[in-house]
Amino acid sequence: MCGIVGFSSHEKSACEPLVNGLRRLEYRGYDSAGVALESADGIKVVKQRGKVAELDKLLKEELATEDERAKYTVGIAHTRWATHGLPTTVNAHPHIADDGNLALVHNGIIENYATLRAGLEKRGCKFVSQTDTEVLAHLVATFDKGDFLSAVSHALKQVEGTYGIATISRRHPGEMVVARKGSPLVIGIGEHETVVASDVSAIVAYTRQVIYLKDGDIALVTPDGVSIYSLDNAPVSREVQEVDWDLGAIEKGGFDHFMLKEIFEQPDALRNTIRGRLDKSGATAILAGLNLTPRDLASFRRVAIIGCGTSLHAGMVGKYLFEKLADMPTSPEQAAEFRYCNPIIGPDNWIVALSQSGETADTLAAVRESIRKGALVSGLCNVVGSTIAREAGRGVYLHAGPEISVASTKAFTAQVTALLMSALKLGRTRRLSYSEGARLVDEIERIPELVGEVLKQNERIAEVAAKYAKADDMFFIGRGILYPTALEGALKIKEVAYVHAEGYQAAELKHGPIALLSEETPVVALLADIPGKEKTVGNVQECRARNAPVIGICSEGDSAAAEHVNDAIFVPKTSEEVAPIVSVVALQLFAYHVARLRGCEIDQPRNLAKSVTVE
Ligand code: F6R
C-alpha cells in the first residue's frame, strides 16, 4: 500500500535506483508515481498519474542526458495507492513545501490532517492537493529551524495516524530523514550508498545488509550510513541483518506474470515451509518459533485464527484442521471485525495471526488487541522481520519466498501447510494418536510433490478456462474443509479476471442463490474424493437441472464424480487435510487463464494493492 524509495550516494545518480526501486514496489500501489531529486541547484520533482513505466519515460524526457542525471545523487520516490484524493498528478507524491525546497513521500494515513491543514492554512501555507501527506510536508518546513531531524520529529509528534516517510530538503544537502509508525521501512547499507524502501525487494539489487526500522524510529540517512533515534531524540540501536534471498527471487524468470511464476513455485515454496519441521519418530511437527511448551498447548481452551482476504480463507481451513486433529474449538475471524467486536479472550486463548505481508493494518490491530487482553499470540507470516511477526514475538515463518503478484497464491498453500503442522503439533499434545500423527507426517511430506502433479494439468485447465472465459458470473461450491477453497477460488477470479464470483457452501446454494443459475453461470464444484463428496455431487445435479454448466475439481481416477460434471479437472487423490491445497492450485490456474484470456492486468489488478496498511 504505497511504496517508498530513497537513495543517497556521493557520486552515483539517484535516478536509476529510484525508478528501479519503484518498479519492485509497484505491487504496493500503482495509480501514480513520482520522484524528488536533490542537487546543488535545488529540488526537482517529476510525478505523474499512471504507472512507473510512464514516470520513467517522463523522467528520461526531463533529464535527457547522463550529465543531467548525474548531478542528482540524493532522492526520494513513491508509488501510490490512493487513500485521500483522486489518483491524479497533483495528488501524486512527492509533495513539496517551503517554496519547493522540501519534498516528502508518505505511506499511511494522517488521521488528524484536516485539523492540521486548517492550522497551517491560517499561518499562510498554500495547499495544492487533496492529500493528507501535503500537511506533513508543510509541518516539517514550519518546524525547520536549522536541524532537519528535529524538524521532522516535531512534525511527527503532531500527527495522529500511521506513516512511513522519507523527506529531503535543499536547506540540508545530502541529508534524508526517514521515519516509521505503522508502515514498514527498511534501510539498506551499501558501500558509500544508502537505500531506503518500504520493503527489501527494492533494496537487494544494491545490498543485502539491511536494518528494519521499528515503529517510533526516525533516522538520518546519508551516503555513509544511518543514525537512528526515537522521536524524543534518544539514539536507538538496531541490528543490521542479512537478507537471505537474491534478485532472482523477485524477477519473473521466464514466466509471463508473477502470478503464474508464483503458482509454479509452490512445490519449492512448500518444501521450504516444511523443511526441518517434521519429526518422524515423534509423529509430530517441530515448530520451534512457536515457543510453546506442551503445558502451554494443553492450557488452551480456544483458538482464534485471524486474517483478511486470502489469509482469512486459509484460517477457515485451519478451523477444520484444529477441530479435527486437536479437538480444539477454533474460530476463523476477519481481523477488523474481531478487533472491534470486543473479543472475549484471555490467557487460555491462542490467537494465530495469518498474514503473508505481516503488515496488514487490520490484522496488526487485532494482534495488538489480543496481546492487550492477555491472549497468547503467534504470527504465521511470510515476510521475515515484518511488523506482525515481530510484535507477535513468536510464530512460524512460511518461507515461501517473496510474493510479488497482488493476488496471493503460494502464501495460501504455505499458510494451510503451516496450519496443518500447527494442528498436528497441538493434536499430538492432546488426543491425536501416534499412528494418526505418523500418517499426517507422511501426508505433509508429500504435499510439494502432489502440488507438482496439479501443475501438470496446466494445459487442461487453460482449455477449460477458454470455454468459460466469457462468463460474467460464476459460483464456486464446496463443503466442509473445501468450503474455504470455494471462497478462495471465487476471490482469485474476482481479483484477477474481474468476473463476479461467489463462493458458497454447496448445501447453501439451494437456499436462495440457485435462483441466479442459468446456462450462463458456470458453477465450479470442489469434488475431491473426501467425506461429503457424495452430497456435493447431489448439489451439482441440482445445478445442472437448472442448466448451469459445472466444472468439477475431481480426484484422479474418480470417474464416478466426473461423469456428473461438464468439464472435469483432475487433481491427485489425497487425505481430507491436504485436499484444499491441491484443489486450490487448480483454481489459481483457472483464474489465471480466465484473466489472461480476458486481457486483464494480472499482476496489478485495478483498485488493488498488496499489503493493505490502512484500516
Ligand atoms: C488476495 C489477497 C488479499 C490478501 C489480504 C491479506 O489475493 O492478496 O486478500 O490476502 O489483503 O494480506 P496479508 O496476508 O498480507 O495480511
Side-chain angles (χ1 to χ4, degrees):
M1 180 132 305
C2 296
I4 290 178
V5 192
F7 184 81
S8 175
S9 156
H10 287 300
E11 291 168 355
K12 189 155 125 192
S13 166
C15 297
E16 204 186 297
L18 290 177
V19 173
N20 283 347
L22 286 186
R23 281 206 184 94
R24 305 270 183 225
L25 296 184
E26 204 167 21
Y27 70 87
R28 298 179 69 88
Y30 32 83
D31 60 45
S32 55
V35 296
L37 300 160
E38 183 193 298
S39 77
D41 306 334
I43 288 182
K44 179 175 182 65
V45 173
V46 181
K47 58 184 187 177
Q48 118 161 1
R49 186 189 169 145
K51 299 208 165 182
V52 175
E54 286 152 59
L55 173 74
D56 188 28
K57 215 166 120 212
L58 185 64
L59 194 61
K60 282 181 177 142
E61 278 162 25
E62 297 224 357
L63 299 174
T65 66
E66 282 289 309
D67 283 354
E68 278 178 287
R69 285 195 285 276
K71 65 182 184 183
Y72 297 102
T73 58
V74 175
I76 55 177
H78 188 269
T79 177
R80 181 169 185 248
W81 186 82
T83 56
H84 292 67
L86 292 172
T88 56
T89 298
V90 83
N91 286 336
H93 299 217
H95 288 283
I96 55 168
D98 188 18
D99 296 325
N101 286 319
L102 181 140
L104 183 142
V105 291
H106 165 228
N107 170 18
I109 289 190
I110 313 290
E111 282 162 9
N112 59 338
Y113 86 102
T115 319
L116 293 171
R117 180 167 171 153
L120 287 160
E121 277 173 337
K122 268 197 199 139
R123 297 172 68 168
C125 292
K126 294 268 175 289
F127 283 80
V128 295
S129 77
Q130 290 102 46
T131 65
D132 51 341
T133 304
E134 199 181 354
V135 163
L136 205 45
H138 285 293
L139 264 187
V140 175
T142 309
F143 284 115
D144 190 354
K145 304 285 180 266
D147 179 343
F148 197 23
L149 189 85
S150 83
V152 181
S153 336
H154 269 91
L156 292 176
K157 283 185 188 165
Q158 313 288 309
V159 160
E160 287 163 23
T162 55
Y163 53 79
I165 61 155
T167 178
I168 51 175
S169 162
R170 186 187 187 182
R171 296 180 198 280
H172 307 281
E175 292 185 5
M176 180 191 309
V177 177
V178 304
R180 75 156 277 178
K181 182 182 158 208
S183 301
L185 216 50
V186 192
I187 302 175
I189 312 291
E191 288 208 3
H192 308 300
E193 61 187 36
T194 311
V195 199
V196 177
S198 303
D199 89 41
V200 285
S201 61
I203 293 180
V204 283
Y206 304 96
T207 175
R208 301 258 197 101
Q209 306 294 315
V210 301
I211 297 172
Y212 294 93
L213 288 190
K214 292 196 174 163
D215 275 354
D217 288 352
I218 178 166
L220 182 64
V221 174
T222 67
D224 300 314
V226 56
S227 327
I228 308 174
Y229 304 87
S230 69
L231 281 192
D232 293 321
N233 229 7
V236 170
S237 141
R238 298 278 173 245
E239 193 192 343
V240 179
Q241 301 183 27
E242 172 132 359
V243 180
D244 64 359
W245 42 266
D246 58 21
L247 219 50
I250 51 169
E251 289 181 341
K252 283 190 204 150
F255 286 90
D256 287 344
H257 298 95
F258 280 111
M259 183 179 178
L260 190 63
K261 176 187 176 226
E262 287 160 13
I263 292 172
F264 271 83
E265 270 170 2
Q266 287 177 107
D268 284 342
L270 295 170
R271 245 170 238 121
N272 290 336
T273 307
I274 297 165
R275 181 167 298 122
R277 287 172 165 165
L278 292 176
D279 169 9
K280 279 206 159 212
S281 60
T284 186
I286 311 162
L287 299 169
L290 286 180
N291 202 10
L292 294 173
T293 62
R295 185 189 287 250
D296 290 329
L297 291 168
S299 72
F300 297 136
R301 298 280 160 268
R302 188 185 152 219
V303 173
I305 310 181
I306 55 177
C308 303
T310 289
S311 294
L312 174 62
H313 296 156
M316 293 171 80
V317 179
K319 171 194 162 70
Y320 289 90
L321 298 173
F322 277 68
E323 293 191 341
K324 179 177 177 204
L325 304 178
D327 261 353
M328 174 64 77
T330 302
S331 53
E333 306 274 357
Q334 202 283 338
E337 296 297 322
F338 181 71
R339 183 210 179 177
Y340 288 112
C341 75
N342 191 23
I344 304 161
I345 48 173
D348 58 359
N349 288 151
W350 185 18
I351 309 297
V352 180
L354 293 187
S355 176
Q356 187 285 128
S357 61
E359 303 292 346
T360 299
D362 287 327
T363 311
L364 177 59
V367 163
R368 288 178 177 158
E369 179 69 1
S370 305
I371 292 174
R372 205 179 57 75
K373 291 201 156 161
L376 200 142
V377 180
S378 302
L380 260 68
C381 300
N382 192 33
V383 177
V384 175
S386 55
T387 311
I388 293 172
R390 282 192 279 110
E391 294 206 8
R394 61 178 83 217
V396 178
Y397 277 123
L398 303 178
H399 296 311
E403 196 178 65
I404 310 284
S405 154
V406 166
S408 187
T409 54
K410 61 179 177 172
F412 178 84
T413 49
Q415 282 169 335
V416 173
T417 304
L419 285 168
L420 178 53
M421 291 190 288
S422 307
L424 167 61
K425 184 177 169 75
L426 183 64
R428 290 286 292 129
T429 60
R430 295 164 68 92
R431 56 161 286 281
L432 198 72
S433 68
Y434 182 90
S435 60
E436 265 293 276
R439 174 187 72 79
L440 284 162
V441 167
D442 287 347
E443 280 282 307
I444 295 168
E445 264 191 328
R446 284 181 61 224
I447 291 174
E449 180 196 321
L450 295 168
V451 167
E453 289 301 310
V454 186
L455 298 175
K456 290 185 188 154
Q457 298 298 313
N458 186 32
E459 270 181 36
R460 163 73 185 145
I461 296 172
E463 212 176 272
V464 177
K467 212 166 145 186
Y468 298 100
K470 290 210 170 85
D472 287 325
D473 302 280
M474 290 190 194
F475 283 86
F476 288 70
I477 59 169
R479 61 172 68 219
I481 200 166
L482 289 174
Y483 164 54
T485 307
L487 294 176
E488 179 58 10
L491 178 63
K492 284 289 89 83
I493 208 153
K494 279 188 262 213
E495 285 179 297
V496 298
Y498 312 143
V499 172
H500 165 242
E502 300 197 35
Y504 263 94
Q505 296 98 338
E508 183 63 16
L509 209 64
K510 60 185 172 296
H511 295 285
I514 203 165
L516 294 172
L517 294 192
S518 72
E519 60 282 1
E520 275 159 22
T521 45
V523 176
V524 181
L526 290 153
L527 288 171
D529 192 11
I530 59 172
K533 179 201 75 176
E534 300 304 340
K535 297 230 178 284
T536 310
V537 168
N539 303 126
V540 163
Q541 281 162 339
E542 291 153 14
C543 298
R544 295 209 51 197
R546 272 90 193 159
N547 292 328
V550 177
I551 302 154
I553 310 299
C554 304
S555 293
E556 192 64 61
D558 189 1
S559 51
E563 74 186 22
H564 293 284
V565 302
N566 301 68
D567 289 281
I569 293 168
F570 289 103
V571 297
K573 171 145 175 64
T574 67
S575 67
E576 186 176 9
E577 292 85 359
V578 176
I581 298 178
V582 290
S583 304
V584 84
V585 175
L587 298 188
Q588 293 167 350
L589 284 169
F590 180 68
Y592 173 81
H593 288 297
V594 172
R596 184 179 52 78
L597 292 161
R598 290 168 75 100
C600 299
E601 280 213 60
I602 295 178
D603 285 332
Q604 294 174 349
R606 69 185 177 212
N607 302 342
L608 298 183
K610 201 155 182 83
S611 179
V612 184
T613 54
V614 292
E615 285 190 47

